[in-house]
Amino acid sequence: MTFRTSASNGLSRRIFLASAGAGLLSGMLPAASLAQAVGRIIVPFPAGGPADFMGRLLAEKLKDLLGRTVILENRPGAGTRVAAEFLKNSPADGNTVLLAPVDPIFIGPLIYSNMRYDPPVDFKALTDVTGVQFGIAVNAASPHRNLGDFIQAARARPKEQAIGISTVGTLLHFLAVEFVAQARIGSTLAPYRGGGQLVTELLGNQIAAGMDATTTFLEHHRAGKLRVLAVAGEKRADALPDVPTFAELGFPNLVASSRYLLYVRSNTATDAMSQWSQAVRKALAMPDVREKLNRTGYDLLSGSSAEEVAKYSNGLAARWAPVIKASGFKGD
């Protein structure tokens, strides 16, 4: 992969700051004007995947909690930029929200020069929804029984040990860059058009290893078709308690995970933001929702305040922005 240095206008403007204005109401009393309108949850990934499943699960529950119809719309493409741009161009009436990972929001301005939106200006994050872990996986028939086996083989025969990644210009991409550097291996990073294509080639033994969200690998890991060697979270993934973290395996700096957040237009009315955030927190507390999200591979969260979202987002950006800038990667 060819990297070149990209310009930055300064982290103070580019790092996404979540809004502190989304207070929670003590009761759920939808405003009459909102109760009559259809709510839309925009998901930046295709139908049929884990993110689509999560969005549809929430839409089903929020219909009753908000007292109005809530539908899901898939707006995939351009590393979540298509969906984010759609939100920016939607009315700030509290009827449209974006359910998306946090990392493309703060990474985008660091690597793309043609962004049509400015995250800290155009969007506000209301609450987190789920945690997303990243992992490295191989075919179950691979001779690499653990991460050490893969590293040893990659040092000896790097051209044969390419690592597929499902996206570029994302936290996953730069985690893979850091893994290659810290493990001192010469593996090539091979970008794919999504996790589905990556998994297909892993199952077909067409690539040695793959890195993606654990939600991509979970079903095949449980079925004994793929083997997840390590995850990158601060702790083991809720759905993969048998898989060690990179930190446990001698890589204490390879700690990275993302979260799905709920975003609205920045000038959305406070009461509308409060209704969405409280309804999501109520949905996340439902036992059947928690069971289904865990089974899909997400780390369970209970929702958070806007201040907590801001603290998390800023910490993630502070850790990874220097890595992204040092890589010299430019997305366009």
Side-chain angles (χ1 to χ4, degrees), residues 144 148-163 179 184-187:
H144 310 320
D149 289 346
F150 176 78
I151 291 172
Q152 185 177 8
R155 287 174 178 171
R157 301 178 302 279
K159 292 184 179 180
E160 300 174 17
Q161 308 301 322
I163 302 172
F179 171 60
R184 303 189 307 278
I185 58 180
S187 298

Side-chain angles (χ1 to χ4, degrees), residues 279-315:
V280 168
R281 296 184 75 165
K282 287 186 175 183
L284 293 176
M286 296 178 176
D288 63 322
V289 171
R290 297 181 67 80
E291 189 277 328
K292 289 174 182 176
L293 290 176
N294 178 258
R295 192 172 68 232
T296 308
Y298 290 107
D299 283 350
L300 300 178
L301 302 175
S302 57
S304 61
S305 68
E307 292 84 358
E308 291 168 330
V309 171
K311 181 178 179 180
Y312 166 76
S313 301
N314 292 338

Side-chain angles (χ1 to χ4, degrees), residues 215-299:
T215 51
T216 299
F217 301 134
L218 183 61
E219 178 183 349
H220 300 288
H221 176 87
R222 287 172 171 164
K225 297 178 180 179
L226 294 180
R227 183 164 52 252
V228 181
L229 303 179
V231 297
E234 293 182 357
K235 62 180 182 65
R236 296 190 178 195
D238 291 342
L240 292 168
D242 57 321
V243 178
T245 65
F246 281 105
E248 289 179 79
L249 299 175
F251 297 93
N253 294 323
L254 282 180
V255 177
S257 60
S258 186
R259 293 182 187 179
Y260 273 80
L261 304 183
L262 196 72
Y263 299 93
V264 295
R265 286 279 306 278
S266 59
N267 53 343
T268 300
T270 300
D271 63 342
M273 293 192 290
S274 298
Q275 290 173 35
W276 279 104
S277 58
Q278 185 174 349
V280 168
R281 296 184 75 165
K282 287 186 175 183
L284 293 176
M286 296 178 176
D288 63 322
V289 171
R290 297 181 67 80
E291 189 277 328
K292 289 174 182 176
L293 290 176
N294 178 258
R295 192 172 68 232
T296 308
Y298 290 107
D299 283 350

Side-chain angles (χ1 to χ4, degrees), residues 25 27-32 65 275 278:
L25 299 178
M28 183 55 59
L29 297 172
L65 292 169
Q275 290 173 35
Q278 185 174 349

Side-chain angles (χ1 to χ4, degrees), residues 3-302:
F3 299 116
R4 58 186 186 277
T5 303
S6 60
S8 172
N9 291 330
L11 293 181
S12 61
R13 175 171 173 77
R14 295 304 194 182
I15 295 175
F16 174 74
L17 297 177
S19 166
L24 298 178
L25 299 178
S26 59
M28 183 55 59
L29 297 172
S33 60
L34 292 177
Q36 302 304 317
V38 174
R40 295 189 297 177
I41 300 176
I42 308 303
V43 172
F45 301 105
D52 177 72
F53 173 82
M54 172 175 54
R56 293 183 188 280
L57 177 63
L58 284 178
E60 177 187 342
K61 300 299 183 180
L62 292 174
K63 177 174 57 178
D64 293 331
L65 292 169
L66 291 172
R68 58 175 170 147
T69 300
V70 178
I71 62 173
L72 181 137
E73 292 186 17
N74 302 94
R75 298 275 175 174
T80 75
R81 285 178 291 156
V82 169
E85 187 174 340
F86 182 85
L87 176 63
K88 180 193 173 182
N89 293 329
S90 298
D93 55 10
N95 294 323
T96 303
V97 298
L98 172 66
L99 179 64
V102 61
D103 51 287
I105 298 297
F106 79 83
I107 289 176
L110 297 175
I111 62 175
Y112 295 108
S113 61
N114 63 345
M115 297 274 288
R116 298 187 181 93
Y117 54 88
D118 191 350
V121 173
D122 295 324
F123 306 139
K124 290 183 179 180
L126 303 182
T127 181
D128 55 26
V129 179
T130 58
V132 182
Q133 290 237 29
F134 303 113
I136 182 169
V138 297
N139 189 293
S142 168
H144 310 320
R145 308 302 300 177
N146 53 53
L147 187 65
D149 289 346
F150 176 78
I151 291 172
Q152 185 177 8
R155 287 174 178 171
R157 301 178 302 279
K159 292 184 179 180
E160 300 174 17
Q161 308 301 322
I163 302 172
I165 55 175
S166 61
T167 58
V168 296
T170 63
L171 184 55
L172 168 70
H173 173 190
F174 297 107
L175 173 66
V177 170
E178 283 285 274
F179 171 60
V180 169
Q182 293 185 26
R184 303 189 307 278
I185 58 180
S187 298
T188 299
L189 296 182
Y192 284 79
R193 293 185 176 180
Q197 185 186 47
L198 172 59
V199 165
T200 297
E201 296 220 346
L202 277 173
L203 293 172
N205 276 316
Q206 295 169 285
I207 192 163
M211 293 185 71
D212 201 355
T214 54
T215 51
T216 299
F217 301 134
L218 183 61
E219 178 183 349
H220 300 288
H221 176 87
R222 287 172 171 164
K225 297 178 180 179
L226 294 180
R227 183 164 52 252
V228 181
L229 303 179
V231 297
E234 293 182 357
K235 62 180 182 65
R236 296 190 178 195
D238 291 342
L240 292 168
D242 57 321
V243 178
T245 65
F246 281 105
E248 289 179 79
L249 299 175
F251 297 93
N253 294 323
L254 282 180
V255 177
S257 60
S258 186
R259 293 182 187 179
Y260 273 80
L261 304 183
L262 196 72
Y263 299 93
V264 295
R265 286 279 306 278
S266 59
N267 53 343
T268 300
T270 300
D271 63 342
M273 293 192 290
S274 298
Q275 290 173 35
W276 279 104
S277 58
Q278 185 174 349
V280 168
R281 296 184 75 165
K282 287 186 175 183
L284 293 176
M286 296 178 176
D288 63 322
V289 171
R290 297 181 67 80
E291 189 277 328
K292 289 174 182 176
L293 290 176
N294 178 258
R295 192 172 68 232
T296 308
Y298 290 107
D299 283 350
L300 300 178
L301 302 175
S302 57

